[in-house]
């Protein structure tokens, strides 16, 4: 039988029994055909759990194939030799056996003589990685030979293999940036040919190898990943999401693809993949209601099977992005049940992050706050990285302020003053400088003098007010420095895009709780969102807008 007919028939066989029956009917087989048969056996007999049928090693046809490779290794073609080695590695044949020792020795001798093609080098590299790991000395020789080759002519499969090998050898301290630069350039032209698995492997390698300078390639890979979203395995999707985060990529069409895929597939997805999707949305400030609603339903039905880290990853984004799904009451009821059952298993910082996210959306973990404010828990927080830094102490302070202002019935332990911050550090939601300047210019035009408003005012309640205006009992504006006869305080919140979810008018949780608390502390909160003022073309229009927004009664009288 000629090789083309052989492989066509072989690839239609789905069990080792069928393959052995087919092979036993042949009188003559080339070493390429024999190694192809071994590869097909490894494909059908090995899954994620390992070898399905250990008894196949006793099959007479299998033993005859191995005998041929063991005693005729020097006569084999390089393709037959390396393909057989790959298949036997996959089948978990004993690496110390005479068969494996002879195949490896012959492969290394041919490598030293420079007889291996690009395809052979890739096959040998993969086998060595599997057998001996990244510290294998021969791998360095393989990489050196690769550097001498014309990689512009390599197939997508070979390029993917080189990335895999470099990912582990470079991590071991070996520098191959010149080869990587060539590889990145070549890969850019074959992106459209890559399968979901290949795309995922290359993106993961680029992250591990810190290829931040390969912007054109990363951008092309991320764009191409959109069409593969429904076909990624859980592990592949996690790699892609990590690459999007690492390289700062944010594509609306990718989000839309996730929105179409996740709600349909979430019941069969691994919890770690769902966690990564939520972390991606949270990091990129993407409030995707279809995804969040589906995750909420999934949590309600499967929370008992989640780890503590996965529980936190599912829930925290709801607080960060200030969103309550339609099933919010069931969601937080389920969360409370799970917390009661597994509270002692949570790492201190994970638990604090989780409970803090709840108060951002006005869900109050009253039953768990005595634990959070206890000296023992605070000591545990301090003992584990990142310890009691300003962010952690701000979360504790905000939890304490929340129960003080919003839960007056709480009678448990209080947070000691030494664990409280004086001012909340909120660098990610500091005022937009350009927007802030325009609002102050408009206010100056409206109030005539700069003394009538103060900017970035620290309050006794930990928050910083963007702009504060003081009024007396009759509604007249007082100088900002005046402390007496102050009847009303107006807090202007100049909300730039950084205080909203991406492509949305939905305030982030940190800003929403701040404005809620300022109101409870007696301020009249006036929101000045970027989308209301970005179209105002001059100072007069800005002043007119601010007049209407801050002093609506006098605005109506003056018009």
């Amino acid at each position: 039988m000629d090789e083309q007919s052989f492989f066509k028939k072989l690839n239609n066989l789905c069990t080792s029994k069928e393959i052995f029956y087919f092979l036993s009917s042949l009188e003559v087989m080339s070493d390429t055909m024999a190694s192809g048969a071994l590869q097909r056996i490894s494909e059908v007999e090995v899954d994620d759990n390992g070898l399905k049928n250990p008894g196949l090693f006793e099959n007479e046809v299998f033993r005859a194939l191995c005998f041929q490779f063991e005693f005729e290794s020097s006569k084999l073609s390089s393709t037959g030799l390396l393909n057989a080695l790959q298949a036997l590695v996959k089948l978990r044949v004993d690496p110390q056996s005479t068969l494996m020792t002879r195949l490896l020795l012959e492969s290394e001798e041919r490598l030293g003589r420079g007889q291996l093609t690009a395809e052979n080098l890739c096959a040998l590299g993969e086998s060595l990685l599997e057998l001996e790991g990244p510290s294998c000395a021969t791998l360095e020789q393989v990489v050196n030979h690769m550097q001498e080759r014309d990689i512009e002519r390599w197939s997508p499969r070979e390029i993917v293999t080189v990335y895999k090998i470099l990912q582990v050898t470079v991590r071991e301290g070996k520098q191959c940036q010149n080869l990587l630069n060539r590889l990145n350039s070549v890969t850019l032209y074959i992106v459209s040919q890559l399968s979901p698995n290949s795309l995922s492997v290359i993106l993961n390698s680029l992250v591990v190898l810190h290829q931040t300078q390969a912007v054109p390639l990363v951008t092309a890979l991320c764009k191409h990943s959109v069409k593969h979203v429904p076909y990624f395995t859980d592990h592949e999707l996690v790699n892609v999401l990590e690459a999007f985060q690492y390289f700062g990529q944010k594509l609306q069409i990718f989000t839309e693809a996730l929105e179409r895929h996740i709600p349909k597939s979430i019941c069969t997805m691994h919890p770690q993949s769902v966690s990564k999707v939520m972390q991606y949305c949270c990091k990129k400030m993407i409030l995707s209601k279809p995804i969040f609603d589906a995750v909420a339903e999934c949590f309600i039905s499967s929370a008992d099977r989640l780890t503590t880290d996965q529980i936190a990853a599912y829930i925290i984004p709801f607080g960060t992005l200030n969103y309550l799904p339609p099933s919010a009451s069931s969601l937080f009821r389920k969360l409370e049940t799970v917390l009661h059952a597994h509270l002692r298993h949570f790492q201190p910082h994970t638990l604090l992050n989780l409970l803090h996210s709840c108060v951002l959306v006005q869900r109050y973990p009253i039953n768990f706050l005595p634990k959070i404010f206890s000296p023992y828990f605070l000591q545990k927080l301090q003992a584990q990285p990142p310890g009691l830094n300003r962010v952690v102490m701000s979360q504790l302070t905000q939890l304490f302020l929340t129960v003080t202002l919003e839960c007056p019935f709480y009678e448990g332990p209080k947070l000691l003053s030494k664990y409280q911050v004086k001012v909340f550090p909120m660098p990610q939601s500091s005022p937009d400088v350009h927007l802030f300047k325009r609002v102050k210019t408009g206010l100056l035009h409206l109030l005539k003098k700069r003394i009538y408003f103060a900017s970035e005012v620290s309050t006794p309640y930990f928050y910083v007010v963007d702009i504060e205006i003081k009024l007396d009992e009759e509604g007249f504006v007082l100088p900002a420095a005046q402390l007496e006869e102050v009847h009303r305080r107006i807090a202007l919140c100049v909300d730039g895009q950084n205080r909203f979810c991406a492509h949305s008018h939905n305030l982030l949780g940190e800003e929403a709780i701040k404005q809620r608390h300022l109101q409870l502390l007696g301020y009249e909160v006036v929101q000045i969102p970027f989308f209301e003022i970005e179209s105002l073309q001059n100072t007069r229009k800005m002043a007119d807008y601010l007049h209407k927004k801050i002093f609506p009664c006098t605005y109506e009288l003056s018009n």
Side-chain angles (χ1 to χ4, degrees), residues 352-397:
L352 177 61
N353 289 333
L354 178 58
L355 299 185
H356 177 257
S357 72
C358 292
V359 301
L360 297 181
V361 283
Q362 295 178 275
R363 291 298 184 270
Y364 310 111
I366 296 298
N367 294 329
F368 308 103
L369 290 181
K371 176 182 176 71
I372 296 292
F373 295 151
S374 71
Y376 174 68
F377 183 81
L378 294 169
Q379 285 170 10
K380 285 175 70 178
L381 272 178
Q382 190 162 18
Q384 294 184 6
L388 286 173
N389 63 15
R390 279 183 62 77
V391 173
V392 173
M393 289 177 68
S394 295
Q395 289 178 318
L396 288 167
T397 306

Side-chain angles (χ1 to χ4, degrees), residues 486-505:
V486 178
H487 187 67
R488 291 163 58 198
R489 293 175 187 266
I490 297 174
L492 265 60
C493 295
V494 184
D495 295 330
Q497 290 189 37
N498 59 330
R499 293 182 178 177
F500 292 87
C501 300
H503 312 296
S504 166
H505 294 171

